[in-house]
Amino acid sequence: MDNALGSLLDGPRARGAFVIKAVLAPPWSVRVRDEAPLTAVCVARGDAWLVPGDEGDTADAIRLAAGDLALVRGPDPYTVADDPLTPPQAVIRPGGCSVAADGTDLCEEMDLGVRTWGNAPDGPTTLIIGTYQLRGEITGRLLHALPPVLTLRRGEWDSPLVPLLDAEIARDEPGQEVILDRLLDLLVIDALRTWYARPDATAPAWYRAHGDPAVAHALRLIHDHPAHPWTVAGLAAKAGVSRAALARRFGALMGEPPMTYLTARRLDLAADLLREPDATLESVARRVGYGSAFALSTAFKRERGVSPSAHRVLGRDGGGH
């Protein structure tokens, strides 16, 4: 597993993600307005159309066949349907609630069992859908590098994870939610790794940098031990190169100096930790490498323009990244 992808998903990774199986018979069309930051749509059986953007605009419609996967970056709405011209019969709102076009609740009507939803229990199309419901700072760095819709065809990747999700999704056992969360993480990492390996893909700087052993080593140290009192010299010594060489190569690949990246990484982590209900500013400061709550607060406000306490309130209100 690529360390860059793993660490980017290791903060606000899937926690109680909305993972369902949709079983559908035509005509069907679902308008998704859940504002989720990232959704994986896997076609386990049959086929479907994914239509990004405004309702009724089918110019960018994408056909998905069995074995294909699409990663959809939020918060913009999109439609999944048997045909791009089929009018939406259900709308998915934030939190996963489904309603008819007139606002009538459909959750009970379309409930087909444990984590299974649809209009026909024996429908010819089965979709596995995994939705990240938390938008965190670290995930934001990942999301900004993605196109609005990333599509992988069955012939482009060979992942056992979709059948695993399909097999696990309907089980109603203790700990099942955690298993589904981890499978979803693995699926996303596998898809992104495959996508960025394509010659036509524009991989972000933090991914390309892992082609340089010294810079990759420095990034791993920063990601794995952000609270360590790193210096450029210390990172260079661990990476086996001179201070000047690491600074030059890191800056060329990442577009910023090592210490600037370290500061951003620490504040990204702090921003996520501050949203945890029991976290104190002092405890967060220690976990991300600041000597005191005051030092963290000063750096946070300087770099982000808001105080940690204001950021925490914004997070509770659904603001922020």
Side-chain angles (χ1 to χ4, degrees):
M1 182 186 300
D2 185 88
N3 186 271
L5 292 174
S7 62
L8 283 166
L9 282 170
D10 197 44
R13 60 187 177 184
R15 299 173 188 163
F18 189 65
V19 182
I20 64 165
K21 177 189 294 187
V23 186
L24 300 149
W28 62 271
S29 178
V30 180
R31 183 70 174 160
V32 183
R33 293 186 171 276
D34 61 2
E35 301 177 5
L38 186 66
T39 299
V41 180
C42 316
V43 183
R45 186 165 53 100
D47 56 68
W49 285 86
L50 193 149
V51 188
D54 296 333
E55 190 173 337
D57 183 359
T58 62
D60 297 321
I62 301 164
R63 185 180 182 276
L64 300 173
D68 293 350
L69 173 141
L71 291 181
V72 187
R73 188 188 72 197
D76 294 338
Y78 58 95
T79 301
V80 185
D82 69 317
D83 185 283
L85 299 178
T86 301
Q89 297 146 349
V91 178
I92 308 298
R93 292 178 172 174
C97 176
S98 57
V99 297
D102 63 2
T104 306
D105 190 288
L106 293 175
C107 288
E108 186 173 337
E109 180 181 333
M110 300 189 76
D111 184 2
L112 298 178
V114 178
R115 300 186 189 90
T116 305
W117 179 93
N119 64 359
D122 56 353
T125 296
T126 300
L127 307 177
I128 306 297
I129 302 166
T131 300
Y132 285 78
Q133 301 186 86
L134 298 176
R135 182 181 296 275
E137 301 294 336
I138 301 171
T139 304
R141 187 182 283 266
L142 173 66
L143 292 175
H144 294 328
L146 296 179
V149 180
L150 180 160
T151 306
L152 289 176
R153 303 298 179 182
R154 183 175 185 173
E156 295 179 281
W157 70 322
D158 182 21
S159 174
L161 293 165
V162 175
L164 269 177
L165 270 168
D166 194 9
E168 290 283 343
I169 204 165
R171 293 187 181 179
D172 191 14
E173 300 174 4
Q176 200 63 25
E177 195 172 85
V178 176
I179 293 173
L180 292 173
D181 285 351
R182 297 293 75 79
L183 285 174
L184 178 59
D185 282 342
L186 291 170
L187 180 75
V188 169
I189 292 170
D190 189 26
L192 293 175
R193 185 170 56 182
T194 302
W195 171 261
Y196 289 139
R198 289 167 46 156
D200 60 334
T202 304
W206 50 260
Y207 192 90
R208 296 195 306 272
H210 278 254
D212 182 305
V215 176
H217 196 138
L219 283 171
R220 279 194 293 271
L221 292 170
I222 289 171
H223 287 186
D224 293 345
H225 308 288
H228 186 82
W230 294 115
T231 62
V232 178
L235 288 168
K238 292 283 189 180
V241 295
S242 70
R243 181 185 183 281
L246 178 65
R248 182 179 66 255
R249 287 155 64 175
F250 196 103
L253 287 167
M254 297 295 295
E256 59 187 340
M259 293 299 100
T260 302
Y261 182 86
L262 173 62
T263 297
R265 170 68 177 172
R266 285 172 168 170
L267 295 180
D268 283 351
L269 283 169
D272 285 329
L273 291 170
L274 284 165
R275 290 193 173 114
E276 295 182 359
D278 298 329
T280 66
L281 192 57
E282 192 71 42
S283 67
V284 170
R286 288 196 302 271
R287 289 177 65 178
V288 302
Y290 284 88
S292 67
F294 178 78
L296 172 60
S297 183
T298 301
F300 200 97
K301 191 165 186 180
R302 181 183 66 242
E303 297 296 328
R304 294 175 175 267
V306 297
S307 67
S309 57
H311 167 82
R312 195 193 294 259
V313 171
L314 284 170
R316 287 182 184 140
D317 292 342
H321 296 270

